[in-house]
Amino acid sequence: MARIAPLSGFPEWLPDGRVVEQHVLDTLRRTFELHGFAGIETRAVEPLDQLLRKGETSKEVYVLRRLQADPDAVDSDKQLGLHFDLTVPFARYVLENAGRLSFPFKRYQIQKVWRGERPQDGRFREFAQADIDVVGAGELPYHYEVELPLVMAEALGRLADVGLPPVRILVNNRKVAEGFYRGLGLDDVEGVLRNLDKLDKVGPDAVAELLGTECGATPEQAKACLELAGITGSDVSVIDAVRALAAAYGAGTELLEAGLAELGALIEAAAVRAPGVVVADLKIARGLDYYTGSVYETVLVGHEGLGSICSGGRYDTLASDGKNTYPGVGLSIGVSRLVSRLLSAGLVRATRGVPTAVLVAVTSEEQRAASDAVAAALRARGIPVDVAPKAAKFGKQIQFADRRGIPYVWFPGEEDRAAGSVKDIRSGEQVEADAGTWAPPAQDWWPRVVPGV
Amino acid sequence: MARIAPLSGFPEWLPDGRVVEQHVLDTLRRTFELHGFAGIETRAVEPLDQLLRKGETSKEVYVLRRLQADPDAVDSDKQLGLHFDLTVPFARYVLENAGRLSFPFKRYQIQKVWRGERPQDGRFREFAQADIDVVGAGELPYHYEVELPLVMAEALGRLADVGLPPVRILVNNRKVAEGFYRGLGLDDVEGVLRNLDKLDKVGPDAVAELLGTECGATPEQAKACLELAGITGSDVSVIDAVRALAAAYGAGTELLEAGLAELGALIEAAAVRAPGVVVADLKIARGLDYYTGSVYETVLVGHEGLGSICSGGRYDTLASDGKNTYPGVGLSIGVSRLVSRLLSAGLVRATRGVPTAVLVAVTSEEQRAASDAVAAALRARGIPVDVAPKAAKFGKQIQFADRRGIPYVWFPGEEDRAAGSVKDIRSGEQVEADAGTWAPPAQDWWPRVVPGV
């Protein structure tokens, strides 16, 4: 057999790492469901022309070919590629099923996506995303732009007790930026945003120069843009600061005011529903050719270098079929990157890598059925149980449990099959027990995810 | 935008279909965990040479290419393909992590797999599989060959109350077949099995002829093979029948006896632990070049035409790294095919397609925060809640709930924000309620999956 080696960019976890990932996924799913999001899954592939229709070749799509397809023949199949996000497939799903869905349609979707990027950049080629979106038919009320980041804040907040650092959701509004730039007299809005997006990388002086050379900004206009990008805060004083800046530069516009009203409403609601989590940050850009209202990025406090773990925004045209336009707002969590950091930084750990709470020992192979019966009785009451693989010496069977982190070993009784004794192998304490009534304490019942210390 | 059409062979469900699929997946997962199987996921891709190492080109592998890879340059990346089952990736995972796993290692794995087969054959190109396997290092006790089909029987049995028809697990043992054929003097064991596998398609006369022309069997030998294949039954009398047949033809061998002992133990244990589910069927073959002991197929009673929904067996060499050999036994459920049949035959349905149990009405947009507060109070107690998208007339808001199957609509009180009234929109009954204490009845709390009728 060929040498086995991990594939760079395709992360896999050992069973205890998977316990952590599964807990994260279960927590997200449960939170999304509590907020009324319906779960869907879409196929992993889309026609290549759909994947590329926004000019998304930068995403390094993986194209599929059937091994036995004749390379010289014109393949009757449409060319297919693996999806690189869950937004393109969702837009297609909405159009395909528009007549069978009720709008506004709230959905969550947790699936793998693939991008053929260089794994040495610390990026994965295969990773799980967890998305929530609300999409309307024709219209979508603004209040969803407030609701969705708060759902994500709640979902991530529910992971705090297992060791997830606090999150900070940075929000901006495209109307604010565009309104301000246009008020200044800068009409190349995308150019300005693209250059301001480089702020953290190249610094303000370089950005000011780029705004001049690439967007025709005067030094005064560039200064104004940089001042706007510098505004940040978690209460509505941010709105006043932007308004004052606009007044100082004579940059007030209707669009700016509309954006400030939206941003203010978001900040205000967030201060009540998720105090301290949402921060207005006027330099957040996020490919604003796509988004048309609120935009979101999320950092783990203390792990800002990891970049945004949950991003999204409002788009006026998620999909369109000529007859209807479907506006939406959504956010996407990069689950694999998050879990990878939680594990590699030792922030969280699983109490064990197997579900098993109890190992039933086997006295002799002839008596295996007795041990199976004990196991069945415990499982019937929802207790995860394994039976020892061999009727080895009890010391060996205890070692089998110990190596897997199984906390209890059950020794079947000689006479009454259901009666026996159960030993907590951590403390050594052993008590008489009946398989029809005994249960482990709640904290030992299932593997738990706990802070890594 | 290009025309949107479903891709043949890539099934997707509407939200209420996904509720059914999710229930099936959750039930399988929970059963596997109760039996101590650890959950893992492997990456979707394997190096192409690994995927093909058993000569598996019949599986129509999908090969990946990065869109921007230079087609003329020698790609430094290894050629990758999408996995076509979960056994090949699991074998690789075991070898890659052998030093970090404890053996026997029990794992379950629920993931999508891909095969580029003709979808017009009623086969899917993308489908979910749910696998359980136990793998040992060097050795694996026989009792796992009894345990694993019974775990699957239990898992599928837990779906009976939602409308899954009863299952019948057909079992055979490769040693029985091989021992009998060799005892007859037929040494081309694989040839004989391959031809007997055609029994249902071409009938006994054609098979007898094929056994003669292809495997050199005399009419007498062919007759014996067909008689063996005709033996079936759910108690140990099957063992006696095989033994009598072997005696009549003078075909008894040690291998046959070893196989009969194993098959008998399986039938006997199954009669106690899953009465009526497991049936010995001496014609089950299942690619016996791969399996070395027990083999399993599973049919839905009344839907036998669907073929096997859960198959597997014992293999002495799941993986080998030159130093160690890893024998295993496992079964795999074709979840997509099962769910597809359940939905298309109307055997099961979801009580609703959204998680939401309660829609909180909005009196006016100014009062939306009051409705949000009611929703938060209900969610804090684990009740899935949505808030109406618009402060429309209450009739319209009730219609919004009705269209989605949401059973309850909450009307916030005018004075006390938490107090209000809640209406069961099915019966029309409306009662005063407090958001801090009211809860829906258990059967309305989450969407349920119920028999289809």
Side-chain angles (χ1 to χ4, degrees):
Chain A
M1 166 169 298
R3 202 174 66 84
I4 294 291
L7 277 179
S8 178
F10 291 90
E12 285 182 340
W13 317 125
L14 286 167
D16 59 343
R18 175 64 183 165
V19 170
V20 170
E21 183 178 54
Q22 189 71 65
H23 178 76
V24 170
L25 295 174
D26 288 346
T27 302
L28 297 178
R29 170 182 161 192
R30 181 45 55 112
T31 310
F32 300 159
E33 290 179 345
L34 283 175
H35 285 264
F37 291 82
I40 68 163
E41 280 203 345
T42 58
R43 63 196 188 216
V45 304
E46 297 295 331
L48 195 57
D49 54 0
Q50 288 293 314
L51 290 172
L52 302 181
R53 77 189 163 91
K54 286 193 189 286
E56 284 287 21
T57 51
S58 65
K59 290 286 198 296
E60 287 276 13
V61 175
Y62 278 114
V63 184
L64 261 56
R65 172 177 66 82
R66 285 188 301 118
L67 183 62
Q68 298 186 344
D70 181 346
D72 296 325
V74 177
D75 199 324
S76 62
D77 292 339
K78 239 183 165 175
Q79 230 189 344
L80 301 176
L82 294 175
H83 58 216
F84 54 78
D85 69 9
L86 301 177
T87 305
V88 171
F90 176 53
R92 191 262 315 152
Y93 180 94
V94 165
L95 288 183
E96 193 174 313
N97 299 297
R100 287 168 286 183
L101 298 173
S102 299
F103 296 95
F105 176 51
K106 297 170 77 170
R107 83 87 174 80
Y108 75 89
Q109 191 170 349
I110 300 176
Q111 283 184 257
K112 298 280 174 62
V113 305
W114 294 269
R115 297 180 189 180
E117 307 190 25
R118 289 182 186 279
Q120 52 263 50
D121 297 345
R123 290 164 191 259
F124 291 136
R125 294 186 147 190
E126 174 180 65
F127 53 98
Q129 284 194 335
D131 283 27
I132 52 173
D133 284 86
V134 184
V135 61
E139 54 165 11
L140 188 74
Y142 170 73
H143 63 78
Y144 287 116
E145 291 175 57
V146 178
E147 180 188 332
L148 264 70
L150 295 177
V151 173
M152 283 301 198
E154 184 179 321
L156 294 165
R158 279 171 194 255
L159 293 166
D161 60 346
V162 304
L164 185 78
V167 298
R168 187 174 295 137
I169 301 182
L170 310 174
V171 302
N172 195 1
N173 191 297
R174 192 230 155 104
K175 293 174 189 168
V176 172
E178 179 169 350
F180 184 85
Y181 303 152
R182 290 200 191 279
L184 281 178
L186 290 169
D187 286 333
D188 179 8
V189 174
E190 282 184 28
V192 174
L193 286 165
R194 198 177 51 244
N195 283 304
L196 280 165
D197 215 20
K198 300 173 187 164
L199 201 51
D200 286 345
K201 271 192 201 155
V202 302
D205 293 347
V207 168
E209 200 176 312
L210 285 166
L211 288 174
T213 54
E214 295 197 1
C215 309
T218 65
E220 177 86 350
Q221 287 170 326
K223 185 163 165 278
C225 292
L226 286 167
E227 283 181 36
L228 179 69
I231 294 176
T232 176
S234 58
D235 61 46
V236 287
S237 69
V238 166
I239 307 302
D240 299 330
V242 175
R243 207 170 271 137
L245 184 72
Y249 284 97
T253 59
E254 266 180 44
L255 188 63
L256 174 67
E257 277 305 317
L260 287 175
E262 291 186 358
L263 188 59
L266 175 48
I267 295 295
E268 222 166 342
V272 174
R273 291 170 59 180
V277 172
V278 173
V279 176
D281 186 335
L282 278 291
K283 75 168 181 296
I284 299 299
R286 289 219 71 70
L288 281 175
D289 52 327
Y290 187 71
Y291 293 115
T292 52
S294 302
V295 289
Y296 319 103
E297 289 192 356
T298 310
V299 293
L300 278 187
V301 176
H303 299 259
E304 288 79 1
L306 187 59
S308 177
I309 57 154
C310 173
S311 312
R314 154 93 189 202
Y315 30 82
D316 282 341
T317 312
L318 169 71
S320 171
D321 56 11
K323 210 170 58 189
N324 279 301
T325 295
Y326 299 88
V329 54
L331 290 99
S332 174
I333 297 182
V335 175
S336 297
R337 189 149 62 143
L338 182 63
V339 169
S340 175
R341 172 59 65 101
L342 292 177
L343 293 173
S344 66
L347 295 170
V348 305
R349 66 177 181 85
T351 53
R352 57 185 187 259
V354 293
T356 321
V358 183
L359 178 76
V360 181
V362 176
T363 312
S364 72
E365 286 303 329
E366 292 68 42
Q367 302 287 312
R368 177 169 292 279
S371 297
D372 284 338
V374 168
L378 293 169
R379 285 184 196 122
R381 291 184 296 108
I383 303 166
V385 180
D386 204 354
V387 176
K390 263 195 203 175
K393 288 189 178 152
F394 280 162
K396 275 223 147 190
Q397 299 191 46
I398 291 170
Q399 197 182 54
F400 175 96
D402 188 42
R403 222 177 257 162
R404 286 158 177 81
I406 300 169
Y408 296 93
V409 176
W410 186 286
F411 302 97
E414 306 234 333
E415 317 254 302
D416 180 356
R417 286 181 161 216
S421 62
V422 63
K423 183 189 190 103
D424 181 335
I425 65 170
R426 298 158 302 186
S427 66
E429 197 193 351
Q430 186 163 346
V431 296
E432 300 295 301
D434 185 294
T437 53
W438 180 88
Q443 74 269 18
D444 288 332
W445 199 295
W446 291 102
R448 281 175 306 120
V449 177
V450 295
V453 186
Chain B
M1 166 169 292
R3 206 174 64 84
I4 295 293
L7 277 178
S8 178
F10 291 90
E12 287 183 338
W13 318 123
L14 286 168
D16 58 343
R18 175 64 182 165
V19 170
V20 170
E21 182 178 54
Q22 188 71 64
H23 178 77
V24 171
L25 295 173
D26 287 347
T27 302
L28 298 177
R29 170 182 162 194
R30 181 46 57 110
T31 310
F32 300 159
E33 290 180 345
L34 284 174
H35 284 264
F37 291 82
I40 68 162
E41 280 203 344
T42 58
R43 63 196 188 216
V45 303
E46 297 295 332
L48 194 57
D49 54 0
Q50 288 293 312
L51 289 173
L52 302 181
R53 77 190 164 88
K54 287 195 188 284
E56 284 285 21
T57 50
S58 65
K59 289 284 196 296
E60 287 276 15
V61 175
Y62 278 114
V63 186
L64 262 54
R65 170 177 67 81
R66 285 188 300 118
L67 183 62
Q68 299 187 343
D70 182 347
D72 297 325
V74 177
D75 199 323
S76 61
D77 292 338
K78 241 185 163 172
Q79 232 189 342
L80 301 176
L82 294 176
H83 56 218
F84 54 77
D85 70 8
L86 301 177
T87 305
V88 172
F90 176 54
R92 190 263 314 153
Y93 180 94
V94 165
L95 288 183
E96 192 175 314
N97 299 299
R100 286 167 287 183
L101 299 172
S102 299
F103 295 96
F105 177 50
K106 297 171 76 169
R107 82 87 173 80
Y108 75 90
Q109 190 169 349
I110 300 176
Q111 284 184 256
K112 298 280 174 64
V113 305
W114 294 268
R115 296 179 190 180
E117 306 189 25
R118 288 183 188 278
Q120 52 262 51
D121 297 344
R123 291 164 190 258
F124 291 136
R125 296 186 146 189
E126 173 180 67
F127 53 99
Q129 284 193 335
D131 282 27
I132 53 173
D133 284 87
V134 184
V135 61
E139 54 165 13
L140 186 73
Y142 169 74
H143 63 79
Y144 287 116
E145 292 176 56
V146 178
E147 179 187 334
L148 263 71
L150 294 177
V151 174
M152 282 302 198
E154 184 179 323
L156 294 166
R158 279 171 195 255
L159 292 167
D161 59 346
V162 304
L164 185 78
V167 298
R168 186 173 297 136
I169 301 182
L170 311 174
V171 303
N172 194 1
N173 190 297
R174 191 228 156 105
K175 293 174 190 167
V176 173
E178 178 168 351
F180 185 85
Y181 303 151
R182 291 198 190 280
L184 281 178
L186 290 171
D187 285 334
D188 179 9
V189 175
E190 281 184 30
V192 175
L193 286 165
R194 198 176 50 244
N195 284 305
L196 280 165
D197 214 19
K198 300 172 186 163
L199 201 50
D200 287 342
K201 272 192 202 154
V202 302
D205 294 346
V207 168
E209 199 176 315
L210 285 167
L211 288 174
T213 53
E214 294 197 2
C215 310
T218 65
E220 177 87 349
Q221 287 171 325
K223 184 162 165 281
C225 291
L226 286 167
E227 284 181 35
L228 180 69
I231 294 177
T232 177
S234 58
D235 61 47
V236 288
S237 70
V238 166
I239 306 303
D240 300 330
V242 175
R243 206 172 272 137
L245 185 72
Y249 284 97
T253 59
E254 267 180 45
L255 188 61
L256 174 67
E257 278 304 319
L260 287 176
E262 291 186 358
L263 188 58
L266 175 48
I267 295 294
E268 221 167 344
V272 174
R273 289 170 61 180
V277 172
V278 173
V279 175
D281 186 336
L282 277 292
K283 75 169 183 296
I284 298 297
R286 289 219 72 70
L288 280 174
D289 53 328
Y290 186 72
Y291 294 114
T292 53
S294 303
V295 288
Y296 319 103
E297 288 191 358
T298 309
V299 292
L300 279 188
V301 175
H303 299 259
E304 288 80 1
L306 187 61
S308 177
I309 57 154
C310 174
S311 312
R314 155 91 188 204
Y315 30 83
D316 282 342
T317 312
L318 170 71
S320 169
D321 55 11
K323 210 170 56 188
N324 279 301
T325 295
Y326 299 88
V329 54
L331 291 100
S332 174
I333 297 182
V335 176
S336 298
R337 190 150 60 145
L338 182 63
V339 170
S340 175
R341 173 59 63 104
L342 292 177
L343 293 174
S344 66
L347 295 169
V348 305
R349 64 176 181 87
T351 53
R352 57 184 187 260
V354 292
T356 319
V358 184
L359 177 76
V360 181
V362 176
T363 313
S364 71
E365 286 303 329
E366 292 67 43
Q367 301 287 313
R368 177 169 292 279
S371 297
D372 285 338
V374 168
L378 292 169
R379 286 183 195 123
R381 290 182 298 110
I383 303 165
V385 180
D386 204 353
V387 176
K390 263 196 202 173
K393 286 187 180 157
F394 280 162
K396 275 222 145 191
Q397 299 191 46
I398 291 170
Q399 195 182 54
F400 176 97
D402 188 42
R403 220 178 258 160
R404 287 160 177 79
I406 301 170
Y408 296 94
V409 175
W410 186 285
F411 302 97
E414 305 235 333
E415 319 252 301
D416 180 356
R417 290 180 157 216
S421 63
V422 63
K423 182 188 191 102
D424 181 334
I425 65 170
R426 299 159 301 188
S427 66
E429 197 193 351
Q430 186 162 345
V431 297
E432 301 293 302
D434 186 294
T437 54
W438 181 87
Q443 74 268 21
D444 289 333
W445 199 295
W446 291 102
R448 281 174 307 121
V449 177
V450 295
V453 187

